[in-house]
Amino acid sequence: MRVAVLYTGGKDSTYAMYRAIQQGREVVCLITLKPESQSSFMFHAANINWVKDLQAKALGIPIIFKKTKGVKEDDLKDLKAALQLAIKKYAIDGVVFGANASEYQRYRIEAACADLGLRTIVPLWHIDPEKYMSDFINDGFETIFVSVAAEGLNQGWLGRKYDLQALEDLKILHAKFGINIGGEGNEFETFVINGPIFKKRIEIKDAEKVWIDEHGIYDIKDAKLVKK
């Protein structure tokens, strides 16, 4: 099956792609929507331009990169337009995405795909976040926190690697504040810099920590591809 991956550059969409490849799916393109609204419930915004400029190149996969206002209903129209382009340009049969627990996200994506006759593949659906994050790390993926917005997540988390120690720290915060270890409640966003499906590694050369009203962004200013 020829599939497109709805790709944000974060851990979930990256690992969903990895799992789909392991299942024998042929990933022929990435689809990334850049929301104008930072509060979009459907699409990530933090460092999204680097998905096109570096991550797609690091993966060696062509990308369809479109802007969306990131508001309800309009975002679904923009998603369908991007999917139609993928059908025309890459002859896709299905779509992979990294939803784990969000019924809202899954329903809307599946509805858009159904209208276009596309199958959906959701490899991480309802997998325990602690289990799949442990697998993600042990499988050799490297990712950093690029956005935090929850009690207990301070500026020290920005730019930090999501490694096994970070997983243990998040488990403590989960017990104390109820933080979702996978970030399903928009507690944080991540940015993957390396992994077994990456042909090159991303090296971040310069970044700025921006903190406003208990919400932090790790704004990547300069980065490059390097040999693994």
Side-chain angles (χ1 to χ4, degrees):
M1 177 186 290
R2 294 170 61 85
V3 299
V5 177
L6 298 186
Y7 195 63
T8 66
K11 58 179 179 52
D12 297 337
S13 57
T14 301
Y15 205 48
M17 172 165 49
Y18 177 68
R19 288 281 183 91
I21 291 171
Q22 287 183 315
Q23 295 167 359
R25 319 289 185 183
E26 181 187 2
V27 177
V28 295
C29 71
L30 309 174
I31 296 176
T32 300
L33 294 177
K34 176 184 177 179
E36 293 178 7
S37 170
Q38 292 285 331
S39 60
S40 171
F41 286 100
M42 286 289 291
F43 307 112
H44 291 187
N47 293 296
I48 199 71
N49 286 329
W50 291 107
V51 175
K52 169 175 58 72
D53 296 339
L54 281 186
Q55 284 176 312
K57 295 175 183 177
L59 289 161
I61 301 174
I63 185 170
I64 293 173
F65 189 90
K66 297 286 187 182
K67 291 183 179 180
T68 178
K69 290 184 178 180
V71 296
K72 194 172 181 179
E73 303 312 327
D74 283 346
D75 56 11
L76 195 60
K77 292 177 184 177
D78 295 333
L79 173 60
K80 288 180 72 172
L83 292 172
Q84 288 173 319
L85 180 57
I87 293 171
K88 180 179 180 180
K89 194 171 182 180
Y90 298 105
I92 63 169
D93 306 301
V95 176
V96 176
F97 57 100
N100 176 252
S102 172
E103 297 281 357
Y104 174 84
Q105 185 185 56
R106 179 169 183 172
Y107 173 78
R108 289 168 66 77
I109 293 173
E110 288 190 337
C113 289
D115 287 347
L116 299 173
L118 295 169
R119 288 185 59 186
T120 54
I121 300 95
V122 198
L124 305 182
W125 187 245
H126 282 178
I127 296 178
D128 177 69
E130 181 181 339
K131 172 67 169 64
Y132 92 73
M133 279 312 304
S134 178
D135 290 343
F136 175 86
I137 295 163
N138 289 323
D139 283 338
F141 285 94
E142 297 177 54
T143 189
I144 61 173
F145 293 87
V146 292
S147 172
V148 295
E151 190 175 6
L153 295 177
N154 56 31
Q155 294 187 47
W157 285 84
L158 294 174
R160 178 181 177 179
K161 277 190 177 182
Y162 195 153
D163 53 17
L164 292 175
Q165 183 57 60
L167 177 57
E168 290 301 313
D169 292 343
L170 282 174
K171 287 163 64 176
I172 294 171
L173 293 177
H174 169 72
K176 189 174 182 179
F177 301 113
I179 288 175
N180 186 293
I181 292 171
E184 278 285 317
N186 289 324
E187 294 96 336
F188 59 84
E189 293 179 14
T190 58
F191 183 88
V192 180
I193 59 175
N194 196 15
I197 54 176
F198 279 59
K199 294 178 170 58
K200 291 187 177 180
R201 186 179 185 278
I202 296 171
E203 180 181 293
I204 298 172
K205 300 176 67 178
D206 184 34
E208 178 185 4
K209 294 183 180 182
V210 180
W211 194 267
I212 302 173
D213 296 330
E214 305 303 316
H215 178 211
I217 296 288
Y218 190 70
D219 187 14
I220 300 172
K221 300 294 187 181
D222 190 18
K224 66 178 182 178
L225 297 178
V226 297
K227 292 182 180 180
K228 298 177 64 173

